[in-house]
Amino acid sequence: MQVSTIAELDTHAVIGGGKAQAFGMSDSAEFFTVLSDTLYRDKKRAVVREVICNAWDAHIMVGKTDVPVEITLNDNELIIKDFGPGIAKDKIGPVYCVYGASTKVKDGKQTGGFGLGCKAPFAYSDHFTVTSCFDGSRTLWAISRGGAATEGKPDFRPMVSVPTTETGITVSIPIKDAKDVATFDTLIREICRNGGMLANLNGKLLQRYDYEQARKNGFCVLSRAGVNSFRESRAYVLYGTVLYPITTTDNELMAKVDAVDRLVENNGRIVLIAKPNTIGVQPSREGLSYSELTTQTLHDALDQAIRRLKNVGPSLARKLYRAHVASALKDRNNIALDRPSTQNQPFDGVLADPSKIAERAVREKLGHYLTDVEMSKIAFREMQKKWRDDRRYFRRARHNWRSSLRRERFERSRKLLLRLASKTGTLSKLLVFTKEYNHTRWSGTPIDEFRMDKSLQSRIIVAPTRKAVDELLRKELAARHKKDPYENDASWAVSSDMMVPALVLSNPSEKLLEAVIEWGNKYKLHIELLDFPKRKKREKVGEVFVGLKDLSHNRRNYNWRAAAFSVTEPKQYIRASGTVEHLDLGNIRYEDDKALLKRIDEQFPGTVVVWTAKQEARMKAKQIPLLEELIAARVQKIANTREAQYVAVIRDGDLVSGSANYYDPSGIIQRLTQQSLACARYFFPDRVKITDRTKEMRDLMELGSKIARGSARIREVEAKLRENARKTFAHLVRDAKDLNEEFAFLKPFRSIDYSQSHEELILETIRFLRRRAARAAPASNNPVNNIMKEAA
């Protein structure tokens, strides 16, 4: 096969100068090793590919393409035998044993042209044998990598010659390791199949791809199912009997590879068929040589494949989508139409018909052949045919690219519900109930605030309360899960496809319920009427308020819910905002803050929550104070004591000056002192004692920061307290850099997680590290010893 042309080699002319002299080539043993061994990246594959392709080329030469190449593989040797013309004794040297010599340079039907392939066995073995049957004589040649007689260069020598009636070449390569047999077996099957070569392996005919039709069309698709040879690229080119992956840094070429891959099924690989003398390959024949001729050939072949697939694909896609739409449109009020997507069954052999290739690709990649706008037009056209009473709407939607079938699905189911609610005057009571997969309760949203792209259920639950709807839907969920207990997450399945409309009517009249049922039947909506219990008159009781123990946490929105009203004699109150179901307590947001609410209730019994102006007016009328005012008064009462000021100065981290990095010893000390009074006294020793007043100040400051909600009174008191505390304990302030140097032994504590129950253990560990650091450093200049002396 012609691998280069004179035009490619004769690149330019030089005018003038001296006489031109040709380059030479070294015949050193090292250079021969490069040409026959290190040239190949995958040595075993190169041996199998080159020898089998040479054997098949011999069959092409004599017109025996219906006769298989005989391959024998065992633990000792690999034998490849062809039935071609063979080579004469006097031609073995000039043809078979000369690097660069080839009989295939001008033959476009054969693979090769570099004169290197027959030497490929050297990439695996130091020696092999070649038996040539030609002109009635069988001659065995021993070919070796080289020895002393040839100064390390490859050599060949005749061993024996006997008469024969056969013709052809037999190459025998010794197997160095029995473990290589499995690899050679896989490579032989793969190369013969992908190259379309007829061969027997140990007497059994091997599978091969038939490229006859593909050569006429210029491309085909091969199946990736169970084949490991299509991992290098998403497109290949068949040149002769070798498949080459298309991998290059040419962005324009690779963009076309991406484009053609999108038009082929997921389990297929596109293969381009290159004509003789249109592609350049590397000397190793392991890849393409991307010359101008090669690049242009690939561009033309890819353009042809893309054009032919796009000629037949869209019509097939439209036909498939029309059939899908026609079968999916069952209920006008509950349109549920998704894009069809199916997985093709794996195919064997070669797909060469562009219609078959596109048909299989359309089933898996419909969106690559039809745009969303085209699919929307098809869907609306089919709807226009099916529901002729609404054909005017669908006709307008078909010509408006902004129309969304998914939005129409929601709007159409929503429209009938709005009609019913408007006819009965219950629009403000119409809710849509949904459930998130990780939440227990079903939540209702007013229908005018609800936006979704899925259809609502064609039923309405008429219930006295939201709680009744929630209980009903929970029972339905439990029944569904009981019916299919092996479903991974029944709650997720229900929440993803259930959007249930409901009318929540607190105390409806019989006439209103009859109207709801009447209009529901008219619009073909299923009305599910729950029991409406007769309400008993409440006994008059005194005013009752929501205490801190009456609050339950709502994980969904980080708010609180007033679960009960139990406090009849409030002592102080906390401001909140929202409603009974959604109370916002400011910085008290998380479920873990229940412990904080418990502490507030213990220190300030009778604390209630108010969230309306009317409730707060009642508190002021009864002269009940705000909790933040009580906290401010208590803080001010003990603000001048040394214990309270010590708490303030360590709580704000004011004893560490400069930049205290989080993971440096200064940052560790700052965190520990803020969390533990005992640690604070250890690092910043003072005569102050930890008393009940100290702990009280710590709790008051923490409560104030959580519930103050911007109280100017608390900010004023705390600002004065911090100002006095900084003056009182100015002698304890340490620079961050000095702390980093003196307490370098605290670096193991960089990721410490403080817990009050482990306070003594933490302090004991710090003391141990301090003693060890003191022993390790010289006593004269040990800063730890100096600190201990100062502390003493």
Side-chain angles (χ1 to χ4, degrees), residues 505-714:
L505 308 175
S506 58
N507 192 17
S509 63
E510 292 293 334
K511 185 177 179 180
L512 175 59
L513 293 179
E514 290 175 0
V516 169
I517 295 173
E518 179 184 353
W519 285 105
N521 294 333
K522 184 175 181 179
Y523 292 130
K524 298 180 180 179
L525 296 172
H526 175 67
I527 305 298
E528 198 165 345
L529 194 63
L530 302 187
D531 292 333
F532 284 80
K534 294 181 179 180
R535 297 191 175 184
K536 298 179 180 179
K537 293 183 179 181
R538 291 186 177 180
E539 297 180 1
K540 292 185 178 181
V541 295
E543 287 187 305
V544 184
F545 299 92
V546 176
L548 299 183
K549 293 181 180 179
D550 300 331
L551 297 175
S552 63
H553 189 258
N554 188 343
R555 295 182 182 179
R556 182 173 184 178
N557 53 20
Y558 299 102
N559 286 343
W560 299 85
R561 175 175 173 268
F565 292 75
S566 63
V567 179
T568 56
E569 296 181 2
K571 304 296 183 183
Q572 54 277 329
Y573 68 94
I574 298 175
R575 287 196 188 100
S577 60
T579 63
V580 175
E581 294 287 332
H582 304 285
L583 288 176
D584 182 5
L585 298 183
N587 294 332
I588 306 177
R589 300 184 61 201
Y590 303 102
E591 190 173 13
D592 294 341
D593 289 331
K594 285 183 177 180
L596 177 63
L597 295 175
K598 184 178 180 181
R599 285 167 49 197
I600 296 175
D601 196 53
E602 290 174 352
Q603 294 187 33
F604 298 92
T607 302
V608 297
V609 181
V610 301
W611 60 90
T612 65
K614 187 176 181 179
Q615 290 173 339
E616 189 167 13
R618 293 176 188 171
M619 296 293 111
K620 291 180 179 180
K622 295 182 179 181
Q623 297 183 345
I624 297 174
L626 268 170
L627 179 61
E628 56 197 55
E629 294 177 356
L630 295 181
I631 293 175
R634 285 197 188 182
V635 170
Q636 188 174 18
K637 183 177 180 181
I638 61 175
N640 294 327
T641 64
R642 192 177 183 87
E643 295 93 328
Q645 292 177 1
Y646 188 71
V647 170
V649 79
I650 65 171
R651 183 177 181 274
D652 295 328
D654 292 337
L655 295 181
V656 180
S657 65
S659 178
N661 186 280
Y662 187 84
Y663 292 111
D664 287 343
S666 58
I668 298 170
I669 292 172
Q670 195 174 54
R671 295 201 310 274
L672 287 175
T673 53
Q674 288 174 332
Q675 295 168 334
S676 167
L677 290 171
C679 290
R681 290 199 63 195
Y682 179 80
F683 288 108
F684 302 99
D686 189 78
R687 59 187 177 83
V688 65
K689 295 182 180 180
I690 300 176
T691 63
D692 292 341
R693 185 179 295 170
T694 312
K695 295 179 180 179
E696 180 186 8
M697 175 57 72
R698 188 180 183 89
D699 289 344
L700 288 174
M701 293 187 72
E702 181 180 358
L703 297 181
S705 65
K706 281 283 188 179
I707 67 172
R709 297 179 65 87
S711 170
R713 173 66 174 154
I714 287 185

Side-chain angles (χ1 to χ4, degrees), residues 46-239:
V47 172
V48 174
R49 181 186 62 245
E50 298 299 332
V51 179
I52 293 179
C53 286
N54 283 344
W56 186 246
D57 287 341
H59 284 210
I60 294 175
M61 186 184 302
V62 296
K64 292 184 177 180
T65 52
D66 57 340
V67 178
V69 174
E70 293 292 338
I71 305 173
T72 303
L73 178 64
N74 53 49
D75 292 345
N76 299 318
E77 60 183 346
L78 168 62
I79 303 172
I80 300 172
K81 179 181 180 180
D82 67 63
F83 302 96
I87 303 177
K89 292 182 182 179
D90 57 344
K91 297 294 184 181
I92 282 287
V95 174
Y96 205 92
C97 300
V98 173
Y99 283 81
S102 176
T103 61
K104 307 175 184 179
V105 175
K106 302 299 182 183
D107 190 348
K109 297 180 180 180
Q110 302 183 54
T111 303
F114 290 107
L116 299 175
C118 59
K119 293 84 175 173
F122 282 143
Y124 176 74
S125 177
D126 291 335
H127 64 279
F128 61 97
T129 63
V130 175
T131 304
S132 175
C133 299
F134 180 82
D135 197 19
S137 177
R138 180 197 302 270
T139 305
L140 175 65
W141 299 85
I143 301 179
S144 174
R145 187 186 290 273
T150 56
E151 298 180 352
K153 293 179 286 187
D155 62 65
F156 66 101
R157 66 188 69 186
M159 300 302 294
V160 64
S161 182
V162 296
T164 184
T165 58
E166 298 179 357
T167 60
I169 296 289
T170 302
V171 180
S172 177
I173 305 166
I175 299 296
K176 295 190 296 185
D177 191 340
K179 296 179 181 179
D180 295 337
V181 173
T183 303
F184 278 118
D185 183 275
T186 301
L187 292 173
I188 291 168
R189 297 176 186 275
E190 182 181 304
I191 289 169
C192 290
R193 178 186 60 244
N194 294 350
M197 295 178 285
L198 191 63
N200 287 332
L201 176 58
N202 294 334
K204 294 184 179 180
L205 187 65
L206 297 179
Q207 178 193 5
R208 69 165 179 164
Y209 291 141
D210 184 2
Y211 294 107
E212 182 179 357
Q213 184 64 33
R215 295 184 190 279
K216 297 177 182 178
N217 294 333
F219 68 95
C220 65
V221 169
L222 300 181
S223 174
R224 295 177 58 205
V227 177
N228 297 324
S229 58
F230 298 130
R231 295 179 176 178
E232 296 182 77
S233 178
R234 282 161 294 148
Y236 290 76
V237 59
L238 179 67
Y239 191 49

